[in-house]
Amino acid sequence: MQPDDIKSNILTTTLESAVNWGRKHSLWPMPFGTACCGIEFMAVLAARTDIARFGAEAIRFSPRQSDLLIVAGRISIKMMPVLIRIYEQMPEPKWVIAMGACASTGGVFDTYSVIQGVDKFIPVDVYVPGCPPRPEGVVEGLIKLQKLVETEKFSDYSTTRGK
Amino acid sequence: MVQGADQPMDTERMVLNFGPQHPSTHGTLRIIMELEGETVIKGTPEIGYLHSGFEKLGEYLDYNQYITITDRMNYLSPLCNNVAYALTAEKLMGLEVSKRTEYIRVLMCELSRIADHILNVGMLAVDLGALTAFLYGFQLREDIYDLFEIATGTRLTTSYTLVGGLMRDIPDKFDEAVIKVLDNVDVVARDIETLLNKNRIWQDRTKDIGIISKEDAISYGLSGPMARASGIDWDIRVQEPYSRYEEFDFDVAIALNGDVFDRYLVRMEEMRQSVKICRQALDKMPAGDVMVDPDLGFSLPPKDEVYNSIEGLIYHFEITMRNRGMTPPIGEAYVATESPNGELGFYIVSDGGRVPYRVRTRPPSLMNYSIFPKLIEGHMLSDAPAIIGSTNVIAGELDR
Amino acid sequence: MLLPKIITKVQDKFPSVTLDTTQFAGEDIIHIQGSYNLDVLKLFRDNGFNFLADITAIDNLTLGGFERFAVVYHLLSHETAERVTIKAYVPEDQPELPSAESLWKTADWQEREIYDLFGISFKGHPNLIRIMNPDDFQGHPLRKDYPRLGRKERDDFPVVKRGINKEAAQ
Ligand code: SF4
């Protein structure tokens, strides 16, 4: 191999950024769509917005195969234990997007049976506002999350990741 | 020959938990199924995973505020909910809205019906393994969303009606945009039918699955496409017309077998009839106001008046203030409307205050879904998604 | 028109059961005693009102009425497209009335809903358990004396922390 070839074929980087680069562009979402936001999430998947452009089209309905939980819709007191179970079943590293007002704060449903924001009980990384958020908003949230993934540190995984 | 292949296989009874987080449960349904091999012996649905206290909330929000909540009940066709609620409140208050209002409401309801049915058919196909119909259908749905966005300002949670009228008039040239979409509906419907109707797999998986008899349909309180696919000639738009449906010329789609395939056919035909109604509504659209006379004290002033004139602002305060506001007489009203899913009724009890005393929704999804245990009995496990898909359960409406 | 005839029939047949008949906005409302609801409903069903459109309940705590609770039946006749509202009153100390499940299967889930949200029980119901709220839920949220924000049910879940090593994270 000529010295010139080495120059043009080898790239030095840190392992961390190489891994993060890979993760960032292949987030596998698990949509936890319960209500109206779930329908808008379908629009995010469908042809017009198409999140495949951001490498996140590999929708997995099994929490064990995914690393991004998208909570889309209101969570009732009956559903919350299920959500916690699903979050715990996802392997690390994992991220959470709270899509819509309900998932973030309870939204218009200030009643006895709606959880006032899933972040009370599970950690949330990105909040997407709106009722429902426009598909473009969800894409924006995804891009924000990718930025977050980029800055992850391996050393954090054993403790408080991504703080 | 493999040893023992001539003997029946030993199977044990097994209990399978299906949902609440499973793609073909449409969000939040859960079914506990007892299986013998692959045959379902008993299916017990468990609902309530999206119970969000709609009816409790209704007792704290005033008549116009609650309209925003009705959107979030049936998110496949929110405009139908808006209209049904407004009609009930108007009946309670004895208001009569203008002809133009009613025509616009009809137009919007029928567009919603198309959007609902196209998604429902698409989802049913997805659940049975055919993605193409969904993608074609969703493209059309996006176009209808665009129409809603032009008229109401948002895609999904429209809150378009007010008690006594509409939030705003439809914009100029709206009819041209609608006609463009309507032309497309016919094309997409034909495409979907070409893909599915004679498809061997589709037929095998939908014909003779989940048959509902006429008697059962009545006993279980089914309505809408579910009932009409079982041969019940009942469409509230025809039999008890509201919003001037009697002035439109359309046919009621009916099928006789009551299986999943027939429910699909009824929905496809209803889409075509909706196109017909939309075209007539556009043709005959009368001129006029879209709000009742402000002197009656029941209408919110238009937004630009509120922001740009002191009179408008004062008037707005008068209507929305806690101790003033619109107050209906003491009484109660029930109005049934034909939503894409069936009889959507609102029942409002008023104690003469500015908030309702009780708001009840008659959710078509609840009744339509309650027959599920009977339908799944004796079918294969893989028929469960087909049956759920064909009932078009919408969790927000089911659990409220 | 079926309705006027049946209403007179009800009044003749069960004079002590019918508390009142009223009209509002063109709707006929028949007020009856809760424990006799099946007799009246059956009479309606056998005379053309074949469809039970809806069952719900009202808590009359501040509204006033014959009793604390009213169970409301909306009936529809597919033949003549007429509707009628039947209100069956049940007292607070014994909120119980016969189940209509034997007449219409649709009553099954709706009565469970009323049981869950209002705490009215139905005699003869095959499976009277909560339907909307979790099984361990206390109270009946649609009663007027139940607070809208609940009694802390919505705050009562374990908090999950970030990261793998949860002890270290605390
Ligand atoms: S945020 Fe709005 S659109 Fe989303 S689930 Fe809640 S109510 Fe529905």
Side-chain angles (χ1 to χ4, degrees):
Chain A
M1 200 182 264
Q2 304 300 315
D4 268 2
D5 286 354
I6 293 178
K7 242 192 230 159
S8 57
N9 279 312
I10 292 182
L11 192 71
T12 57
T13 175
T14 61
L15 183 60
E16 219 165 53
S17 53
V19 168
N20 281 344
W21 173 81
R23 280 191 179 140
K24 173 181 140 188
H25 290 296
S26 64
L27 287 166
W28 286 22
M30 142 108 208
F32 196 86
T34 55
C36 358
C37 280
I39 306 292
E40 276 303 79
F41 189 73
M42 273 186 213
V44 180
L45 293 179
R48 195 182 283 186
T49 323
D50 192 13
I51 52 171
R53 294 178 294 156
F54 306 93
E57 82 279 23
I59 298 296
R60 285 292 173 275
F61 285 98
S62 161
R64 293 174 212 281
Q65 298 171 354
S66 45
D67 54 3
L68 168 62
L69 177 65
I70 298 184
V71 186
R74 44 187 183 269
I75 304 295
S76 70
I77 49 175
K78 203 168 177 179
M79 199 57 154
M80 195 63 210
V82 181
L83 180 62
I84 291 178
R85 176 60 104 53
I86 289 209
Y87 179 77
E88 288 188 328
Q89 281 176 346
M90 285 169 60
E92 285 281 350
K94 56 190 169 190
W95 295 273
V96 178
I97 292 183
M99 173 182 173
C102 286
S104 310
T105 67
V108 288
F109 294 98
D110 195 5
T111 57
Y112 57 91
S113 68
V114 177
I115 303 288
Q116 301 296 299
V118 292
D119 57 351
K120 280 194 161 177
F121 305 110
I122 62 171
V124 174
D125 296 282
V126 174
Y127 302 84
V128 183
C131 182
R134 293 184 61 89
E136 295 88 329
V138 181
V139 169
E140 167 85 17
L142 190 75
I143 293 172
K144 284 250 155 66
L145 186 79
Q146 289 182 339
K147 294 231 172 79
L148 207 79
V149 174
E150 221 171 46
T151 58
E152 290 274 308
K153 292 217 163 35
F154 285 173
S155 56
D156 284 350
Y157 286 152
S158 61
T159 58
T160 51
R161 211 200 71 232
K163 268 281 166 65
Chain B
M1 192 171 159
V2 186
Q3 207 181 359
D6 51 342
Q7 275 150 21
M9 213 172 8
D10 259 354
T11 52
E12 275 178 22
R13 193 168 272 217
M14 178 168 90
V15 177
L16 182 79
N17 175 42
F18 185 59
Q21 183 52 40
H22 182 279
S24 67
T25 61
H26 295 210
T28 54
L29 310 176
R30 179 179 175 203
I31 305 159
I32 297 150
M33 285 194 270
E34 273 174 47
L35 301 175
E36 187 104 57
E38 265 199 81
T39 315
V40 182
I41 306 294
K42 187 164 173 244
T44 318
E46 161 109 42
I47 67 171
Y49 284 95
L50 196 56
H51 179 60
S52 6
F54 276 88
E55 292 178 7
K56 191 80 180 172
L57 210 52
E59 297 168 10
Y60 291 83
L61 299 178
D62 76 21
Y63 287 91
N64 274 325
Q65 283 174 324
Y66 194 67
I67 285 177
T68 52
I69 307 292
T70 58
D71 296 334
R72 285 139 179 96
M73 199 174 296
N74 180 340
Y75 28 77
L76 291 195
S77 50
L79 271 156
C80 293
N81 290 38
N82 294 165
V83 170
Y85 180 77
L87 284 171
T88 318
E90 281 154 12
K91 180 170 176 190
L92 191 66
M93 299 179 190
L95 296 180
E96 215 168 292
V97 298
S98 70
K99 194 169 171 190
R100 184 175 176 85
T101 310
E102 289 183 321
Y103 268 62
I104 295 177
R105 284 181 181 177
V106 166
L107 173 67
M108 290 298 177
C109 278
E110 294 308 318
L111 283 174
S112 303
R113 194 181 311 274
I114 298 170
D116 171 278
H117 286 353
I118 198 92
L119 187 67
N120 174 257
V121 169
M123 286 307 291
L124 177 61
V126 169
D127 290 346
L128 298 182
L131 202 63
T132 325
F134 169 73
L135 289 176
Y136 273 126
F138 216 91
Q139 194 66 33
L140 178 68
R141 205 178 141 87
E142 285 281 340
D143 292 341
I144 298 178
Y145 273 160
D146 283 350
L147 293 180
F148 289 161
E149 202 173 348
I150 295 171
T152 73
T154 44
R155 294 155 52 87
L156 195 62
T157 43
T158 48
S159 310
Y160 187 48
T161 62
L162 291 176
V163 177
L166 299 171
M167 195 171 68
R168 61 168 89 122
D169 205 339
I170 49 174
D172 291 344
K173 305 240 175 99
F174 184 63
D175 46 346
E176 285 169 26
V178 175
I179 284 184
K180 219 189 238 162
V181 174
L182 291 182
D183 290 341
N184 204 8
V185 173
D186 291 329
V187 178
V188 173
R190 208 180 43 233
D191 281 351
I192 290 181
E193 282 182 340
T194 327
L195 275 170
L196 296 179
N197 273 12
K198 298 225 170 107
N199 184 326
R200 179 72 191 278
I201 303 172
W202 177 258
Q203 290 211 354
D204 280 355
R205 294 207 57 184
T206 57
K207 276 206 167 152
D208 291 335
I209 304 290
I211 301 178
I212 304 175
S213 70
K214 222 169 163 169
E215 294 72 38
D216 278 348
I218 288 179
S219 173
Y220 280 89
L222 305 192
S223 50
M226 294 269 295
R228 286 194 284 276
S230 304
I232 297 175
D233 181 7
W234 182 260
D235 188 323
I236 299 174
R237 292 175 295 173
V238 178
Q239 264 86 1
E240 312 174 273
Y242 57 96
S243 253
R244 293 179 196 258
Y245 264 111
E246 67 273 21
E247 294 172 12
F248 295 92
D249 170 38
F250 63 99
D251 297 323
V252 178
I254 292 173
L256 295 176
N257 297 330
D259 54 7
V260 175
F261 188 71
D262 276 16
R263 293 198 272 281
Y264 151 75
L265 286 183
V266 166
R267 289 210 170 87
M268 292 309 281
E269 185 54 35
E270 277 188 8
M271 258 159 49
R272 298 224 163 83
Q273 298 300 329
S274 292
V275 172
K276 228 164 116 183
I277 299 174
C278 287
R279 285 188 201 279
Q280 291 171 36
L282 288 174
D283 280 348
K284 296 195 283 188
M285 183 67 73
D289 270 341
V290 292
M291 203 59 212
V292 290
D293 185 4
D295 291 339
L296 294 173
F298 284 106
S299 62
L300 286 175
K303 273 280 175 292
D304 51 332
E305 243 173 65
V306 177
Y307 293 135
N308 297 322
S309 78
I310 187 76
E311 293 80 24
L313 192 66
I314 291 172
Y315 182 65
H316 183 86
F317 265 128
E318 291 262 315
I319 291 288
T320 52
M321 231 155 52
R322 282 213 160 258
N323 46 1
R324 311 267 182 97
M326 47 168 98
T327 48
I330 299 174
E332 55 182 61
Y334 178 84
V335 173
T337 61
E338 184 74 33
S339 86
N341 254 354
E343 175 174 336
L344 172 72
F346 276 93
Y347 175 54
I348 306 180
V349 182
S350 154
D351 61 351
R354 56 182 286 282
V355 295
Y357 186 78
R358 165 119 174 80
V359 185
R360 152 81 178 170
T361 318
R362 188 247 187 229
S365 290
L366 183 79
M367 288 69 174
N368 289 357
Y369 189 42
S370 70
I371 199 172
F372 179 81
K374 190 171 167 121
L375 296 188
I376 190 68
E377 236 177 69
H379 277 306
M380 300 297 243
L381 177 60
S382 57
D383 295 333
I387 296 177
I388 299 177
S390 75
T391 53
N392 195 14
V393 190
I394 291 155
E397 188 182 83
L398 178 75
D399 298 342
R400 281 155 296 127
Chain C
M1 293 296 276
L2 286 168
L3 200 51
K5 250 186 267 160
I6 304 178
I7 291 181
T8 19
K9 219 184 213 168
V10 171
Q11 278 164 337
D12 286 351
K13 232 174 161 183
F14 313 105
S16 58
V17 174
T18 332
L19 302 169
D20 198 2
T21 50
T22 53
Q23 270 204 335
F24 184 84
E27 277 179 47
D28 285 286
I29 305 158
I30 301 170
H31 306 259
I32 59 166
Q33 275 177 23
S35 39
Y36 297 95
N37 63 344
L38 281 195
D39 300 333
V40 177
L41 286 174
K42 202 155 182 306
L43 198 140
F44 271 97
R45 192 191 66 168
D46 296 342
N47 284 290
F49 282 82
N50 59 338
F51 192 78
L52 176 57
D54 188 26
I55 312 177
T56 183
I58 303 174
D59 179 357
N60 292 325
L61 188 64
T62 56
L63 185 70
F66 295 98
E67 297 282 359
R68 164 97 190 252
F69 298 108
V71 176
V72 185
Y73 300 86
H74 291 284
L75 299 185
L76 162 70
S77 159
H78 274 158
E79 238 169 87
T80 60
E82 282 173 284
R83 286 179 190 267
V84 64
T85 309
I86 298 173
K87 281 180 143 184
Y89 289 86
V90 282
E92 181 173 6
D93 46 355
Q94 206 202 353
E96 191 180 57
L97 74 172
S99 161
E101 201 262 353
S102 55
L103 299 178
W104 287 281
K105 287 277 189 292
T106 176
D108 183 348
W109 281 20
Q110 299 187 65
E111 287 179 347
R112 274 175 69 190
E113 191 183 328
I114 294 173
Y115 168 72
D116 185 355
L117 301 178
F118 284 93
I120 300 172
S121 43
F122 292 87
K123 250 183 293 172
H125 190 285
N127 181 29
L128 198 63
I129 50 171
R130 284 191 185 271
I131 188 166
M132 294 298 173
N133 288 306
D135 291 338
D136 55 359
F137 194 87
Q138 300 289 324
H140 302 287
L142 277 188
R143 287 190 176 189
K144 283 281 172 184
D145 48 12
Y146 194 90
R148 169 170 60 106
L149 302 185
R151 301 187 173 134
K152 298 245 177 314
E153 297 91 352
R154 63 185 192 184
D155 302 319
D156 186 20
F157 291 98
V159 177
V160 185
K161 286 264 162 41
R162 254 176 229 273
I164 305 165
N165 189 345
K166 285 186 185 149
E167 275 73 33
Q170 272 162 13

